[in-house]
Short mmCIF file of all heavy atoms in Angstrom, two decimals:
data_model
loop_
_atom_site.label_atom_id
_atom_site.label_comp_id
_atom_site.label_asym_id
_atom_site.label_seq_id
_atom_site.Cartn_x
_atom_site.Cartn_y
_atom_site.Cartn_z
N GLN A 533 -30.92 9.63 -25.13
CA GLN A 533 -30.27 10.91 -24.85
C GLN A 533 -30.66 11.47 -23.50
O GLN A 533 -30.14 12.53 -23.10
CB GLN A 533 -30.59 11.91 -25.98
CG GLN A 533 -30.03 11.51 -27.33
CD GLN A 533 -30.22 12.56 -28.38
OE1 GLN A 533 -31.06 13.47 -28.21
NE2 GLN A 533 -29.49 12.45 -29.48
N GLU A 534 -31.54 10.82 -22.82
CA GLU A 534 -31.86 11.27 -21.44
C GLU A 534 -30.64 11.16 -20.54
O GLU A 534 -30.51 11.90 -19.57
CB GLU A 534 -33.02 10.44 -20.86
CG GLU A 534 -34.36 10.64 -21.53
CD GLU A 534 -34.57 9.73 -22.71
OE1 GLU A 534 -33.56 9.15 -23.20
OE2 GLU A 534 -35.70 9.60 -23.17
N PHE A 535 -29.72 10.25 -20.84
CA PHE A 535 -28.54 10.06 -19.99
C PHE A 535 -27.48 11.12 -20.26
O PHE A 535 -26.97 11.73 -19.34
CB PHE A 535 -27.96 8.67 -20.21
CG PHE A 535 -28.89 7.56 -19.74
CD1 PHE A 535 -29.54 6.77 -20.68
CD2 PHE A 535 -29.10 7.35 -18.41
CE1 PHE A 535 -30.38 5.76 -20.25
CE2 PHE A 535 -29.97 6.32 -17.98
CZ PHE A 535 -30.60 5.54 -18.92
N VAL A 536 -27.15 11.34 -21.49
CA VAL A 536 -26.21 12.38 -21.86
C VAL A 536 -26.33 12.66 -23.34
O VAL A 536 -26.46 11.73 -24.15
CB VAL A 536 -24.74 11.98 -21.51
CG1 VAL A 536 -24.34 10.70 -22.20
CG2 VAL A 536 -23.78 13.10 -21.81
N SER A 537 -26.33 13.93 -23.71
CA SER A 537 -26.45 14.29 -25.12
C SER A 537 -25.97 15.72 -25.30
O SER A 537 -25.91 16.51 -24.36
CB SER A 537 -27.90 14.17 -25.60
OG SER A 537 -28.74 15.08 -24.91
N LYS A 538 -25.64 16.02 -26.53
CA LYS A 538 -25.19 17.36 -26.91
C LYS A 538 -26.30 18.03 -27.74
O LYS A 538 -26.80 17.46 -28.70
CB LYS A 538 -23.90 17.28 -27.71
CG LYS A 538 -23.44 18.60 -28.26
CD LYS A 538 -22.23 18.40 -29.19
CE LYS A 538 -21.84 19.72 -29.88
NZ LYS A 538 -20.72 19.53 -30.81
N SER A 539 -26.65 19.21 -27.34
CA SER A 539 -27.68 19.96 -28.07
C SER A 539 -27.16 20.36 -29.44
O SER A 539 -26.07 20.94 -29.56
CB SER A 539 -28.12 21.21 -27.30
OG SER A 539 -28.99 21.99 -28.08
N PRO A 540 -27.89 20.04 -30.53
CA PRO A 540 -27.39 20.39 -31.88
C PRO A 540 -27.37 21.85 -32.14
O PRO A 540 -26.69 22.32 -33.07
CB PRO A 540 -28.36 19.63 -32.80
CG PRO A 540 -29.60 19.50 -31.99
CD PRO A 540 -29.18 19.35 -30.58
N HIS A 541 -28.11 22.64 -31.39
CA HIS A 541 -28.22 24.07 -31.65
C HIS A 541 -27.26 24.89 -30.75
O HIS A 541 -26.53 25.74 -31.27
CB HIS A 541 -29.66 24.53 -31.39
CG HIS A 541 -30.67 23.76 -32.19
ND1 HIS A 541 -30.76 23.84 -33.57
CD2 HIS A 541 -31.64 22.86 -31.80
CE1 HIS A 541 -31.74 23.05 -34.00
NE2 HIS A 541 -32.29 22.45 -32.94
N THR A 542 -27.27 24.59 -29.48
CA THR A 542 -26.41 25.37 -28.54
C THR A 542 -25.09 24.72 -28.25
O THR A 542 -24.13 25.39 -27.79
CB THR A 542 -27.17 25.61 -27.24
OG1 THR A 542 -27.40 24.33 -26.60
CG2 THR A 542 -28.50 26.31 -27.48
N GLY A 543 -24.97 23.42 -28.53
CA GLY A 543 -23.72 22.70 -28.21
C GLY A 543 -23.58 22.38 -26.73
O GLY A 543 -22.55 21.85 -26.30
N ILE A 544 -24.60 22.68 -25.93
CA ILE A 544 -24.56 22.39 -24.50
C ILE A 544 -24.76 20.91 -24.24
O ILE A 544 -25.64 20.29 -24.86
CB ILE A 544 -25.61 23.23 -23.76
CG1 ILE A 544 -25.34 24.72 -23.92
CG2 ILE A 544 -25.66 22.84 -22.28
CD1 ILE A 544 -26.40 25.61 -23.31
N VAL A 545 -23.95 20.34 -23.34
CA VAL A 545 -24.09 18.93 -22.99
C VAL A 545 -24.95 18.83 -21.75
O VAL A 545 -24.72 19.54 -20.75
CB VAL A 545 -22.70 18.31 -22.71
CG1 VAL A 545 -22.84 16.84 -22.37
CG2 VAL A 545 -21.78 18.48 -23.92
N LYS A 546 -25.94 17.97 -21.80
CA LYS A 546 -26.89 17.86 -20.70
C LYS A 546 -27.32 16.40 -20.57
O LYS A 546 -27.00 15.55 -21.42
CB LYS A 546 -28.09 18.75 -20.91
CG LYS A 546 -28.89 18.44 -22.18
CD LYS A 546 -30.06 19.38 -22.37
CE LYS A 546 -30.82 19.06 -23.66
NZ LYS A 546 -31.97 19.94 -23.84
N GLY A 547 -28.06 16.13 -19.49
CA GLY A 547 -28.57 14.78 -19.28
C GLY A 547 -28.44 14.37 -17.81
O GLY A 547 -27.91 15.12 -16.97
N TYR A 548 -28.91 13.18 -17.54
CA TYR A 548 -28.91 12.65 -16.16
C TYR A 548 -27.49 12.55 -15.62
O TYR A 548 -27.20 13.02 -14.49
CB TYR A 548 -29.57 11.26 -16.16
CG TYR A 548 -29.35 10.48 -14.90
CD1 TYR A 548 -29.99 10.83 -13.73
CD2 TYR A 548 -28.50 9.36 -14.89
CE1 TYR A 548 -29.79 10.09 -12.55
CE2 TYR A 548 -28.28 8.65 -13.74
CZ TYR A 548 -28.93 9.00 -12.56
OH TYR A 548 -28.73 8.28 -11.43
N CYS A 549 -26.55 12.01 -16.40
CA CYS A 549 -25.18 11.84 -15.93
C CYS A 549 -24.50 13.19 -15.68
O CYS A 549 -23.75 13.34 -14.71
CB CYS A 549 -24.37 11.04 -16.94
SG CYS A 549 -25.04 9.40 -17.31
N ILE A 550 -24.79 14.16 -16.52
CA ILE A 550 -24.20 15.50 -16.37
C ILE A 550 -24.69 16.17 -15.10
O ILE A 550 -23.92 16.79 -14.35
CB ILE A 550 -24.48 16.35 -17.59
CG1 ILE A 550 -24.00 15.64 -18.86
CG2 ILE A 550 -23.85 17.71 -17.47
CD1 ILE A 550 -22.53 15.31 -18.87
N ASP A 551 -25.99 16.01 -14.82
CA ASP A 551 -26.53 16.62 -13.60
C ASP A 551 -25.95 15.99 -12.34
O ASP A 551 -25.69 16.67 -11.36
CB ASP A 551 -28.06 16.48 -13.60
CG ASP A 551 -28.73 17.52 -14.50
OD1 ASP A 551 -28.00 18.27 -15.17
OD2 ASP A 551 -29.98 17.58 -14.52
N VAL A 552 -25.77 14.66 -12.38
CA VAL A 552 -25.16 13.99 -11.20
C VAL A 552 -23.74 14.48 -11.02
O VAL A 552 -23.32 14.79 -9.88
CB VAL A 552 -25.19 12.47 -11.39
CG1 VAL A 552 -24.41 11.78 -10.28
CG2 VAL A 552 -26.62 11.95 -11.40
N PHE A 553 -22.98 14.57 -12.10
CA PHE A 553 -21.57 15.04 -11.99
C PHE A 553 -21.51 16.47 -11.47
O PHE A 553 -20.71 16.78 -10.58
CB PHE A 553 -20.90 14.95 -13.37
CG PHE A 553 -19.50 15.47 -13.37
CD1 PHE A 553 -18.45 14.72 -12.85
CD2 PHE A 553 -19.21 16.72 -13.91
CE1 PHE A 553 -17.15 15.21 -12.86
CE2 PHE A 553 -17.92 17.21 -13.93
CZ PHE A 553 -16.89 16.45 -13.40
N THR A 554 -22.36 17.34 -11.99
CA THR A 554 -22.35 18.74 -11.57
C THR A 554 -22.70 18.87 -10.09
O THR A 554 -22.07 19.64 -9.34
CB THR A 554 -23.30 19.57 -12.44
OG1 THR A 554 -22.94 19.41 -13.81
CG2 THR A 554 -23.24 21.04 -12.05
N ALA A 555 -23.71 18.11 -9.67
CA ALA A 555 -24.13 18.16 -8.26
C ALA A 555 -22.99 17.65 -7.35
O ALA A 555 -22.78 18.19 -6.26
CB ALA A 555 -25.40 17.33 -8.06
N ALA A 556 -22.28 16.61 -7.78
CA ALA A 556 -21.18 16.09 -6.96
C ALA A 556 -20.02 17.10 -6.87
O ALA A 556 -19.43 17.30 -5.83
CB ALA A 556 -20.69 14.76 -7.56
N VAL A 557 -19.71 17.75 -8.01
CA VAL A 557 -18.63 18.74 -8.01
C VAL A 557 -18.96 19.90 -7.07
O VAL A 557 -18.09 20.43 -6.38
CB VAL A 557 -18.36 19.23 -9.45
CG1 VAL A 557 -17.45 20.45 -9.45
CG2 VAL A 557 -17.73 18.12 -10.27
N ASN A 558 -20.22 20.28 -7.04
CA ASN A 558 -20.62 21.40 -6.18
C ASN A 558 -20.48 21.07 -4.70
O ASN A 558 -20.43 21.99 -3.87
CB ASN A 558 -22.08 21.78 -6.48
CG ASN A 558 -22.22 22.42 -7.85
OD1 ASN A 558 -21.27 22.97 -8.40
ND2 ASN A 558 -23.41 22.33 -8.42
N LEU A 559 -20.41 19.78 -4.37
CA LEU A 559 -20.23 19.38 -2.97
C LEU A 559 -18.77 19.34 -2.55
O LEU A 559 -18.48 19.18 -1.36
CB LEU A 559 -20.88 18.02 -2.71
CG LEU A 559 -22.38 17.95 -2.81
CD1 LEU A 559 -22.86 16.50 -2.58
CD2 LEU A 559 -23.03 18.86 -1.77
N LEU A 560 -17.85 19.45 -3.50
CA LEU A 560 -16.43 19.39 -3.14
C LEU A 560 -16.02 20.66 -2.39
O LEU A 560 -16.54 21.75 -2.66
CB LEU A 560 -15.57 19.26 -4.41
CG LEU A 560 -15.78 17.98 -5.24
CD1 LEU A 560 -14.92 17.99 -6.48
CD2 LEU A 560 -15.49 16.75 -4.42
N PRO A 561 -15.09 20.53 -1.47
CA PRO A 561 -14.66 21.71 -0.67
C PRO A 561 -13.71 22.63 -1.41
O PRO A 561 -13.11 23.49 -0.78
CB PRO A 561 -13.99 21.05 0.55
CG PRO A 561 -13.46 19.76 0.05
CD PRO A 561 -14.45 19.28 -0.98
#
Side-chain angles (χ1 to χ4, degrees):
Q533 295 186 344
E534 292 87 345
F535 294 107
V536 59
S537 63
K538 174 186 174 183
S539 173
H541 305 293
T542 63
I544 298 175
V545 182
K546 59 182 180 179
Y548 167 72
C549 302
I550 304 302
D551 281 5
V552 173
F553 177 77
T554 304
V557 168
N558 291 336
L559 292 177
L560 297 178

